Amino acid sequence: MSVLAGAALVGLSLWLRARSKECLSWPSVIGRITESRVDDEHIDMTKPVLRYHYDVGGRAYVGFRASFSGYGVSRAAMDELLRPYVPGKLVRVYYNPKRPASAVLDNTGRSDWLYWFLFGIGFLLLAGYLGLR
């Protein structure tokens, strides 16, 4: 199980690293924030909810990602993430030209890929240690 978890985390980290670099060159359009709130109905699953609408090539899309960086697990961190994104506000949306449904609002945010990479390596090392015992 540790090998699978480690491999999944390493894979996630490499995906985050690639996307955070790639989105620096994505084109942008103007979109509109439609929803921005912290969902704390179930306290053990508190999460930020962000939705924005944008059009690319005459086709409408709905985005949900602020950036490829993490946002923290505290209510204060989630409130801080959502603070600039007031419903109704016009925002610049950076979208993947190959897959316009993939978009972010902040293409300069530092990705937390290294954190997930090191966490995954830790799982792999643990699996190796347990396998040798």
Side-chain angles (χ1 to χ4, degrees):
M1 188 64 120
S2 292
V3 171
L4 291 177
L9 289 171
V10 168
L12 170 67
S13 71
L14 297 176
W15 180 85
L16 284 171
R17 181 174 183 242
R19 292 299 85 69
S20 64
K21 283 185 173 187
E22 183 182 293
C23 76
L24 291 171
S25 63
W26 285 357
S28 66
V29 295
I30 299 299
R32 183 179 303 276
I33 301 294
T34 57
E35 186 176 14
S36 175
R37 64 184 174 81
V38 174
D39 179 358
D40 58 1
E41 184 177 321
H42 305 290
I43 197 70
D44 59 327
M45 295 175 53
T46 300
K47 63 183 183 272
V49 176
L50 177 64
R51 301 256 189 291
Y52 47 92
H53 290 230
Y54 60 102
D55 293 331
V56 175
R59 187 165 177 198
Y61 294 93
V62 177
F64 63 90
R65 182 176 281 126
S67 73
F68 285 109
S69 14
Y71 51 80
V73 294
S74 71
R75 172 67 189 242
M78 292 178 205
D79 285 337
E80 185 64 28
L81 168 77
L82 297 174
R83 190 173 326 283
Y85 307 120
V86 179
K89 181 178 180 181
L90 295 178
V91 290
R92 184 159 299 281
V93 178
Y94 299 90
Y95 66 91
N96 183 337
K98 296 175 186 165
R99 290 186 44 238
S102 179
V104 294
L105 298 178
D106 178 6
N107 72 339
T108 62
R110 289 187 41 168
S111 170
D112 53 358
W113 74 271
L114 185 58
Y115 168 82
W116 294 109
F117 181 79
L118 293 174
F119 201 54
I121 294 298
F123 265 96
L124 292 173
L125 290 172
L126 175 63
Y129 170 75
L130 293 174
L132 293 174
R133 284 184 39 158

